[in-house]
Amino acid sequence: MLAIRKYAQTQNETASKERLMVLLFEAALRHMRRAVVSLEAGQASEAGPALNKAGDIVAELLATLDHSRAPQLARQLSDIYIFVADRLIKAGGSKNPVAVREAERVFAPIADAFSTAVTQLQGPAKK
């Protein structure tokens, strides 16, 4: 387990900015999915940290939007991130996995699109 953690740390430290963004998207989705499993199992105390981590990542993504470069895209992404954050907060308060699933359903296509774009930019050899 220590070797896996060390590898992940090295990967994160040497990743490009774009790859780090992909890792953030993946982590947010992972935390959302973990929260759903916990909530469905009636383990709200386990879901709380996962919801908080997912929410923190979404807030960070929202903060990194550059409205001066692509105003319309940034506005659309901002609306999506705010919706996702709202659903995560709602899930934390209501202990209802449906709200997390709604957040994931909206967030996952953005994450997939970003990952695909980064892969295409880097080319097949740099994946």
Side-chain angles (χ1 to χ4, degrees):
M1 193 67 151
L2 183 61
I4 292 171
R5 227 176 277 174
K6 188 74 169 165
Y7 173 79
Q9 180 182 357
T10 301
Q11 181 184 14
N12 290 346
E13 290 171 355
T14 60
S16 67
K17 288 183 208 176
E18 295 83 8
R19 180 69 187 136
L20 287 174
M21 292 293 289
V22 170
L23 293 173
L24 280 175
F25 279 111
E26 290 172 352
L29 284 170
R30 189 172 53 253
H31 293 304
M32 287 180 210
R33 292 171 182 150
R34 186 173 297 138
V36 166
V37 169
S38 296
L39 289 172
E40 288 177 344
Q43 300 171 336
S45 63
E46 299 286 324
L51 289 169
N52 289 337
K53 288 177 184 176
D56 288 347
I57 292 169
V58 172
E60 184 64 29
L61 292 170
L62 179 61
T64 64
L65 292 176
D66 186 349
H67 291 266
S68 66
R69 295 184 102 178
Q72 184 176 358
L73 177 61
R75 191 171 41 256
Q76 290 170 340
L77 287 173
S78 178
D79 289 346
I80 291 168
Y81 294 158
I82 290 168
F83 173 84
V84 169
D86 179 66
R87 291 292 164 226
L88 295 174
I89 291 167
K90 181 179 178 182
S94 68
K95 312 299 185 229
N96 188 343
V98 172
V100 186
R101 288 200 185 279
E102 290 171 351
E104 180 186 355
R105 186 184 77 239
V106 171
F107 189 78
I110 305 296
D112 290 342
F114 195 89
S115 180
T116 299
V118 168
T119 299
Q120 289 174 353
L121 281 174
Q122 292 178 339
K126 293 184 181 179
K127 187 177 181 184

